[in-house]
Amino acid sequence: MLAHKDETYQIIGAAMEVHKTLGCGFTEKVYQDALEKEFLLEGIPFVRETSMQILYKGEMLPSVFMPDFVCYDKIIVELKAVEELSGLHESQAINYAHVANIKVALLINFGAESLEYKRLFNPNGRK
């Protein structure tokens, strides 16, 4: 059974609507702005670019990371606008989920002719 199945389907559906409307070729920020509007239209709860700190050996690092969205307070949504997703992009989304203590991360790429998305799982996440 997939964790947060219904919520991830809603998020992917919103991303599909954005890609259908805009196509590929814009910057990540444009897709982020459009997806925020689509989340509002669809009633998907989200926080955009919230700062999160990384704990390293018992101490918080001064650097922060900001996932593109956290939806439903339990799904990391990381956007890309690249020709092809790589393992590095997947690692980034999983690391964000790990630091945020979240089980599910969605990696969504608007840069290809067809929308690409990957549902990634953090086995140590509690949310």
Side-chain angles (χ1 to χ4, degrees):
M1 186 163 130
L2 297 174
H4 314 313
K5 178 181 169 184
D6 294 337
E7 294 92 339
T8 57
Y9 286 159
Q10 289 178 315
I11 294 165
I12 292 165
M16 286 179 172
E17 180 63 24
V18 168
H19 195 273
K20 182 177 87 174
T21 303
L22 294 179
C24 65
F26 291 101
T27 64
E28 184 180 311
K29 238 4 169 187
V30 170
Y31 294 111
Q32 197 177 49
D33 291 343
L35 192 56
E36 178 177 2
K37 299 251 182 238
E38 196 62 33
F39 284 165
L40 290 169
L41 290 170
E42 297 292 327
I44 296 171
F46 68 92
V47 176
R48 182 173 172 176
E49 296 181 310
T50 186
S51 295
M52 296 183 178
Q53 284 191 288
I54 299 168
L55 185 65
Y56 179 76
K57 293 188 175 184
E59 291 187 36
M60 290 293 184
L61 296 176
S63 300
V64 296
F65 78 93
M66 295 189 306
D68 292 314
F69 295 97
V70 178
C71 295
Y72 297 99
D73 195 35
K74 58 187 174 185
I75 301 168
I76 294 283
V77 179
E78 185 60 20
L79 307 182
K80 299 296 175 200
V82 296
E83 193 172 320
E84 187 176 320
L85 290 174
S86 72
L88 181 63
H89 298 125
E90 290 180 28
S91 294
Q92 181 185 26
I94 286 290
N95 286 339
Y96 284 0
H98 177 72
V99 170
N101 202 21
I102 287 177
K103 284 183 185 178
V104 177
L106 284 175
L107 177 59
I108 301 174
N109 181 27
F110 291 95
E113 284 190 43
S114 294
L115 183 77
E116 294 178 311
Y117 59 89
K118 291 192 176 192
R119 191 176 185 286
L120 305 167
F121 183 69
N122 169 28
N124 299 319
R126 290 190 217 169
K127 293 183 188 179

